[in-house]
Amino acid sequence: MTQKIVGGSVSFDNAADVYDATRALEPHIVAKQTEALLGILGERGIERLLEVGIGTGRITRPLMERGVRVSGIDISARMMARLRDQLGAAHLTPDLLLGDATRLPLRDASFRAVLMVHVLHLVSDWRATIAEMRRVLTPDGVFLHDVTQYPEPNPWRKVWDRRKELFAKHGITTRPRPEPEQIIEALRAAGGSQRTIVYAEDEERDTLQKIVDNLRDRVDSSTWEIPSDIHGAFVADFEAWCRQEYGDLQREYVVRMQYTLEVWTFGR
C-alpha cells in the first residue's frame, strides 16, 4: 500500500476496503464511546454534529442510529463511499462533503459541535485545522477530541522509538506530527477550556510478530511513508532488531489503553 497525499494531507483512499477491518473498535468500547458523545450533545441540546475526517463513519454511524444529524468532511471519496455502503434503514442519512480539514468548505459559526478522531497527525497543517475548527464552531459550541492514551508501562514504547531511529537510519523523512502537549497548548491559546472524560479502559494483547506483519503489510498510515524500494530492507532491519531484543516474536504482551474524550469550550 502506498501513501496518497491530497493537498498535503494523508488520504485513506488506498485503505478504504480494509480500513474497518484493521481499525475496528471492540463493540463494548464503541457502546461506551457512543454514550459519552451522546451525553455531551444531550446536555447541551445539540442535535447536529460535524465530524472532520469522517472516513467510513466508524465513530458517527452509531450516532446516526440514535437520531443525531451528522455532517462529515473527508478528503477520501472512497472512504465516504464505504460509509454510504454501510448505512441501513435506522441511520439518519449524513451530509457528506469532499474537502480538506485545513480549508473547510463551510460557513463561519455553522456548527455547535465539531468532532475529530485521530485526524490532527494526518493533515498538512494541524494548526490551520484547529483554526478552521474554531471558525466553523459557534461561540457557544463544543469541540470533541477523541484521544486514546497508553499509560505506562507500555511494552511497545521501546519498539516505537526504535522504529523512529530506523526511519532516520534509512534516510526517510516523515511528515511532522504534533505531540499531544502541542495540541493542548494550541487549543488553550485559542481560548479553549478543557475537561476530559475517560469513557472506557481496556487491555489489548498483542505480539511483536503482529507488529512486524503490520509493518510488512503497511497497515498503519505511518508506514506508507517508507519508499517502496527500501521497504523490504527497512522491515528486515526492524525484524532483526526485534528478535535480538525480545527473542520470541510470538510472545503476548499486554497493553493498557484509556479511551478519552476531550471536551473543549471557548470564550465567547
Side-chain angles (χ1 to χ4, degrees):
M1 189 177 295
T2 56
Q3 184 180 27
K4 183 171 182 179
I5 304 293
V6 178
S9 298
V10 177
S11 167
F12 278 71
D13 261 355
N14 296 338
D17 294 336
V18 298
Y19 184 84
D20 288 321
T22 56
R23 273 87 169 173
L25 296 172
E26 293 292 331
H28 68 281
I29 301 297
V30 173
K32 291 179 179 180
Q33 181 185 61
T34 300
E35 292 303 322
L37 290 167
L38 287 172
I40 297 299
L41 298 176
E43 71 185 23
R44 294 173 170 271
I46 298 174
E47 299 178 350
R48 182 168 170 252
L49 167 76
L50 169 67
E51 184 178 9
V52 177
I54 193 169
T56 63
R58 71 181 182 120
I59 307 300
T60 44
R61 266 185 280 121
L63 296 178
M64 299 173 204
E65 288 185 298
R66 301 285 292 274
V68 178
R69 294 171 54 209
V70 174
S71 297
I73 286 186
D74 206 283
I75 58 173
S76 170
R78 293 195 66 226
M79 290 282 279
M80 290 191 292
R82 291 290 300 131
L83 186 163
R84 293 187 184 94
D85 289 344
Q86 297 177 78
L87 294 177
H91 294 97
L92 290 182
T93 303
D95 297 319
L96 301 178
L97 281 173
L98 192 66
D100 194 311
T102 64
R103 298 183 303 278
L104 296 174
L106 297 166
R107 297 190 306 275
D108 293 358
S110 50
F111 285 88
R112 291 185 61 208
V114 178
L115 169 69
M116 291 188 203
V117 183
H118 303 164
V119 167
L120 291 173
H121 67 290
L122 298 171
V123 296
S124 60
D125 187 336
W126 64 272
R127 294 184 186 277
T129 300
I130 288 176
E132 281 292 274
M133 174 277 295
R134 286 287 290 114
R135 181 182 65 78
V136 304
L137 193 66
T138 59
D140 65 339
V142 60
F143 172 48
L144 304 172
H145 190 211
D146 193 281
V147 180
T148 304
Q149 308 278 5
Y150 298 89
E152 299 296 345
N154 182 345
W156 303 140
R157 186 73 61 197
K158 184 166 66 171
V159 173
W160 304 139
D161 288 345
R162 180 55 181 167
R163 218 171 66 154
K164 289 180 184 177
E165 292 171 2
L166 286 176
F167 270 88
K169 173 186 172 182
H170 287 269
I172 301 167
T173 302
T174 60
R175 60 189 300 103
R177 289 173 169 79
E179 296 294 333
E181 296 78 12
Q182 290 179 290
I183 295 171
I184 289 172
E185 181 183 344
L187 288 166
R188 286 178 178 161
S193 298
Q194 170 198 15
R195 71 180 169 109
T196 299
I197 300 169
V198 179
Y199 61 83
E201 295 185 279
D202 205 0
E203 290 183 346
E204 181 180 83
R205 295 184 178 275
D206 220 338
T207 67
L208 269 167
Q209 188 61 62
K210 183 178 178 181
I211 292 175
V212 171
D213 291 344
N214 284 347
L215 178 60
R216 182 178 291 109
D217 297 338
R218 296 184 183 264
V219 172
D220 300 324
S221 61
S222 61
T223 65
W224 303 348
E225 298 176 271
I226 305 172
S228 297
D229 59 336
I230 63 171
H231 179 248
F234 185 95
V235 173
D237 269 5
F238 180 72
E239 183 171 7
W241 177 84
C242 289
R243 292 189 184 281
Q244 179 180 336
E245 291 291 319
Y246 290 84
D248 182 11
L249 300 191
Q250 299 292 347
R251 177 186 170 188
E252 276 194 340
Y253 292 84
V254 176
V255 180
R256 294 186 301 126
M257 293 176 291
Q258 284 187 335
Y259 295 90
T260 69
L261 186 63
E262 294 178 1
V263 182
W264 289 90
T265 53
F266 299 86
R268 300 191 181 197

